[in-house]
Amino acid sequence: MDNYHRHTIEATKGKKGRPYEGFMLGWSKNLILQITEQSTYFITINLNNSNLFIFFIYMSPAVNSQVELSQLFDRVTPLLDQNRKVILMGDFNARLGNFNKGQNFRTAKDSVINTRGKLLIKIINTCDLDIGNGTLKGDHSGEFTFSNKNGISTIDLMFYSYSLLANISSFKILNQIDHSDHNPILTTLGTHKKTKPSPLPKLLTTMISKNLKLSSSSPQ
């Protein structure tokens, strides 16, 4: 990890069982990154003072879905209203079934919609966001992201601003890693097309010349 910066939020210790929530975010020392906000269930970053804001999320199944989703989108909606580019990715513990907003045809192996999923769908339908799972190159089949002895589901999700679609090279569900019931999700931003210099933030130039890979893996 010598080539990476790290930022951690300590997990909460309960009266019983292991600690819950908590974050560790790592990024290459080659990137200029600002953490613009953090809470017990999300970290927001901005890259190189650009127009792009990325929310890394972990929502425990035990928390109040209505309250935490409202708090999250209270931060997201103003950015979208200002025409900022936004990505949300992580473990929402929300199952969206075959939800399809209509911008892209979507497939999903997980056909169940849970209570948090219903709340999240209502919010997404009012935002300039689409879902990456089951729609983008690399995950056209809508793979499961979680499996244990109790079953399988798709609860690790990625949402993106419509204006970012041309900059998303792929979205993939990776193989499970040791000591986790989750599959990491990987979003790659970039294009190999040559473009003329523009006054856009330098990050977009970086995204054009090099792939930027964003990965989220849930703590378990």
Side-chain angles (χ1 to χ4, degrees):
M1 296 289 287
D2 290 344
N3 295 323
Y4 290 83
H5 293 294
R6 286 180 294 172
H7 179 78
T8 59
I9 299 175
E10 292 296 325
T12 302
K13 295 181 180 180
K15 293 182 179 179
K16 295 182 179 181
R18 64 185 180 182
Y20 59 93
E21 297 181 334
F23 271 93
M24 184 176 75
L25 178 66
W27 65 95
S28 169
K29 290 182 178 179
N30 295 326
L31 290 175
I32 300 173
L33 179 153
Q34 297 83 39
I35 296 173
T36 60
E37 188 171 2
Q38 67 180 43
S39 76
T40 56
Y41 61 94
F42 71 85
I43 296 177
T44 311
I45 67 169
N46 174 253
L47 292 167
N48 205 26
N49 294 313
S50 71
N51 205 31
L52 175 62
F53 290 80
I54 303 167
F55 291 73
F56 292 98
I57 293 157
Y58 171 65
M59 287 192 173
S60 165
V63 301
N64 186 309
S65 300
Q66 183 71 61
V67 171
E68 293 214 349
L69 284 172
S70 295
Q71 290 175 347
L72 173 63
F73 281 90
D74 282 347
R75 309 303 197 276
V76 174
T77 303
L79 293 173
L80 295 172
D81 291 342
Q82 297 165 21
N83 295 317
R84 308 282 187 158
K85 299 177 187 294
V86 175
I87 290 176
L88 292 79
M89 60 189 296
D91 180 4
F92 285 80
N93 274 296
R95 302 175 71 176
L96 304 184
N98 294 305
F99 166 66
N100 188 358
K101 196 169 179 182
Q103 297 293 319
N104 294 299
F105 177 76
R106 179 170 183 258
T107 56
K109 290 187 175 181
D110 186 356
S111 60
V112 174
I113 301 177
N114 63 5
T115 299
R116 184 175 295 173
K118 292 177 183 178
L119 292 171
L120 186 55
I121 286 170
K122 286 182 180 180
I123 295 173
I124 294 298
N125 274 328
T126 66
C127 295
D128 182 27
L129 292 171
D130 205 353
I131 184 170
N133 302 67
T135 66
L136 296 174
K137 178 182 177 182
D139 187 41
H140 286 308
S141 58
E143 292 293 334
F144 294 107
T145 67
F146 174 86
S147 63
N148 67 8
K149 62 182 180 180
N150 297 318
I152 52 178
S153 60
T154 301
I155 55 177
D156 302 273
L157 308 171
M158 191 275 272
F159 301 92
Y160 63 92
S161 303
Y162 292 129
S163 57
L164 261 178
L165 180 58
N167 296 109
I168 299 176
S169 299
S170 67
F171 171 75
K172 296 180 180 180
I173 311 300
L174 305 181
N175 294 329
Q176 275 192 354
I177 58 177
D178 292 340
H179 311 298
S180 177
D181 297 325
H182 292 257
N183 297 64
I185 57 177
L186 176 68
T187 302
T188 303
L189 304 180
T191 174
H192 297 295
K193 295 180 180 179
K194 293 182 179 179
T195 59
K196 296 180 180 179
S198 74
L200 290 175
K202 290 181 180 179
L203 171 65
L204 296 184
T205 304
T206 303
M207 288 163 52
I208 289 165
S209 61
K210 283 186 190 177
N211 281 344
L212 175 64
K213 295 186 178 181
L214 308 170
S215 180
S216 176
S217 178
S218 237
Q220 281 295 322

